[in-house]
Amino acid sequence: MKMTDSINKLAHKFSTLPGVGAKTAMRYAYAVIGMSEADVEEFCKAMLDVKHNVRYCEKCGNFTESDVCDICRKRPSDVICVVTYPKDVAAMEKSHSFHGVYHVLHGTISPLEGRGADDIRVKELLARLDGVKEVILATNPDVEGEATAMYIARLIKPLGIKVTRLAQGISMGSDIEYADEVTLSRALESRVEL
Amino acid sequence: MKMTDSINKLAHKFSTLPGVGAKTAMRYAYAVIGMSEADVEEFCKAMLDVKHNVRYCEKCGNFTESDVCDICRKRPSDVICVVTYPKDVAAMEKSHSFHGVYHVLHGTISPLEGRGADDIRVKELLARLDGVKEVILATNPDVEGEATAMYIARLIKPLGIKVTRLAQGISMGSDIEYADEVTLSRALESRVEL
């Protein structure tokens, strides 16, 4: 769409956000025009604040605004849950079921894309294992996530630490009719006695 | 989701954009964390630029960065196309079929929401009619858009100016099977000889 230069430029910026196409970007740009100047300034401040204040926790690699994140500071560190990205920490926390600390890998091992174990935070994980009783591997149940979990398990198990993986099975509220065959076969293998 | 204060604040800001829910807002906030500082600063500049530079054209009410917009400056003004919002101008321009000037009402008449003719730019339209041969009413084909078009037509027709309305019918590429009955009946009424 042909608009004034400033509007086109802003729409282009919005289109760099994930999942935002040209039309949505233009819609967002219109919304900015409709905001009060104070609102736009606050919006900008919020963006710059995030960029300036947010960094990675020295211990776990999660987002934090101090050197060590709240979770690392307040919780017992004898159980570590290993996740791929900071957003996975947020998802786990929403379940209110885990009360230990996290370790964020910031990626998966992916030979196809040329990412090896040195490109993710595996070394940092190994350096944290003193006194740890259990490492829960909560990488995604896809090829890369599985490979990464297997790799880490092979490193940690010999140290005598319990290594577990999130259970796989059919999800809550899903329909067995539509479950894929791999998921169903795993759910069957891991069936539990009632 | 529980994240650091800065991230939550930014996500909240993103959630004020149209159609952005909590999850999408958080996704955008993560994307900002992943941007370079220069990119974030440019993004902010683009937002502030839009807010500072973009205003309404003195003549037609479309977005512009000078006093009078490019369209008003360059095109013959004897045919005026009346639209509801600036984004409708962009949509019309994309069709490359109209070569006159526009008039943006900035709203519709809506008794239910307490918006009368004085709340939209009708007076400004009447003040522009000197030498105008045709006024095309391109408000939306919904209740408010129709009412607004009828109201304006009643004001302008007595001045001896031709008043037209965009044709209504089935849209290009649509399926007659699924066309609603009102659209089909209007398409039938306005059928054209081949």
Side-chain angles (χ1 to χ4, degrees), chain A residues 37-51:
Chain A
E37 196 164 330
D39 269 349
V40 174
E41 273 161 13
E42 262 178 49
F43 205 136
C44 286
K45 193 175 169 301
M47 281 174 92
L48 291 167
D49 277 354
V50 155
K51 200 61 214 164

Side-chain angles (χ1 to χ4, degrees), chain A residues 1 4-6 10 13 18 20 28 30-31 33 35 37 42-43 47 50-53 63 65 87 90, chain B residues 1 4-6 10 13 18 20 28 30-31 33 35 37 42-43 47 50-53 63 65 87 90:
Chain A
M1 291 210 210
T4 77
D5 284 350
S6 303
L10 179 57
K13 283 292 169 192
V20 177
Y28 291 168
Y30 288 139
I33 300 176
M35 286 179 191
E37 196 164 330
E42 262 178 49
F43 205 136
M47 281 174 92
V50 155
K51 200 61 214 164
H52 292 151
N53 300 347
F63 292 136
E65 300 193 25
K87 54 189 166 198
Chain B
M1 290 209 211
T4 77
D5 283 349
S6 303
L10 179 58
K13 284 291 168 193
V20 177
Y28 292 169
Y30 288 140
I33 300 176
M35 286 179 190
E37 195 164 331
E42 262 178 46
F43 205 137
M47 279 174 90
V50 155
K51 201 59 213 165
H52 292 150
N53 300 346
F63 291 137
E65 300 193 24
K87 55 189 166 197

Side-chain angles (χ1 to χ4, degrees), chain B residues 153-186:
Chain B
R154 249 196 329 210
L155 288 177
I156 297 180
K157 258 188 168 171
L159 309 175
I161 298 169
K162 190 173 162 188
V163 180
T164 55
R165 179 116 178 80
L166 287 189
Q168 284 175 32
I170 48 174
S171 12
M172 201 63 196
S174 75
D175 218 320
I176 289 183
E177 182 182 353
Y178 301 119
D180 66 290
E181 52 272 29
V182 181
T183 301
L184 260 188
S185 104
R186 298 234 170 147

Side-chain angles (χ1 to χ4, degrees), chain A residues 118-138:
Chain A
D118 291 340
D119 298 312
I120 61 175
R121 297 178 69 252
V122 173
K123 250 184 311 194
E124 288 85 342
L125 174 62
L126 298 178
R128 291 178 70 182
L129 295 179
D130 227 23
V132 169
K133 286 186 201 133
E134 181 177 354
V135 172
I136 304 172
L137 299 171

Side-chain angles (χ1 to χ4, degrees), chain A residues 7-145:
Chain A
I7 302 180
N8 286 337
K9 238 183 229 166
L10 179 57
H12 175 74
K13 283 292 169 192
F14 274 121
S15 72
T16 62
L17 294 174
V20 177
K23 278 204 171 181
T24 307
M26 195 51 90
R27 205 164 153 225
Y28 291 168
Y30 288 139
V32 172
I33 300 176
M35 286 179 191
S36 72
E37 196 164 330
D39 269 349
V40 174
E41 273 161 13
E42 262 178 49
F43 205 136
C44 286
K45 193 175 169 301
M47 281 174 92
L48 291 167
D49 277 354
V50 155
K51 200 61 214 164
H52 292 151
N53 300 347
V54 175
R55 49 203 143 141
Y56 296 131
C57 169
E58 282 176 1
K59 285 194 176 166
C60 71
N62 189 16
F63 292 136
T64 177
E65 300 193 25
S66 41
D67 294 334
V68 174
C69 75
D70 281 356
I71 294 175
C72 284
R73 235 181 302 143
K74 291 178 191 160
R75 299 218 194 136
S77 58
D78 53 347
V79 181
I80 298 183
C81 176
V82 177
V83 295
T84 317
Y85 295 112
K87 54 189 166 198
D88 300 324
V89 173
M92 291 290 293
E93 285 296 290
K94 246 176 55 180
S95 79
H96 297 291
S97 305
F98 178 67
H99 309 288
V101 293
Y102 293 92
H103 187 86
V104 184
L105 294 173
H106 287 282
T108 49
I109 296 174
S110 168
L112 271 179
E113 292 177 29
R115 278 197 313 275
D118 291 340
D119 298 312
I120 61 175
R121 297 178 69 252
V122 173
K123 250 184 311 194
E124 288 85 342
L125 174 62
L126 298 178
R128 291 178 70 182
L129 295 179
D130 227 23
V132 169
K133 286 186 201 133
E134 181 177 354
V135 172
I136 304 172
L137 299 171
T139 54
N140 285 334
D142 54 18
V143 177
E144 293 182 3

Side-chain angles (χ1 to χ4, degrees), chain A residues 168-170 176 179-193:
Chain A
Q168 284 175 32
I170 49 174
I176 290 183
D180 67 290
E181 52 272 31
V182 181
T183 301
L184 260 188
S185 104
R186 298 233 171 148
L188 202 60
E189 271 170 36
S190 320
R191 66 189 178 278
V192 289
E193 212 175 307

Side-chain angles (χ1 to χ4, degrees), chain B residues 17-84:
Chain B
L17 293 174
V20 177
K23 277 205 171 180
T24 307
M26 195 51 91
R27 204 164 153 225
Y28 292 169
Y30 288 140
V32 171
I33 300 176
M35 286 179 190
S36 73
E37 195 164 331
D39 269 350
V40 175
E41 273 161 13
E42 262 178 46
F43 205 137
C44 287
K45 192 175 170 302
M47 279 174 90
L48 291 168
D49 277 354
V50 155
K51 201 59 213 165
H52 292 150
N53 300 346
V54 176
R55 51 205 143 139
Y56 296 132
C57 168
E58 283 177 359
K59 284 193 177 170
C60 72
N62 189 16
F63 291 137
T64 178
E65 300 193 24
S66 40
D67 293 335
V68 175
C69 75
D70 281 357
I71 295 176
C72 284
R73 235 181 303 142
K74 290 178 190 160
R75 299 219 194 135
S77 58
D78 53 347
V79 181
I80 298 182
C81 177
V82 177
V83 296
T84 316

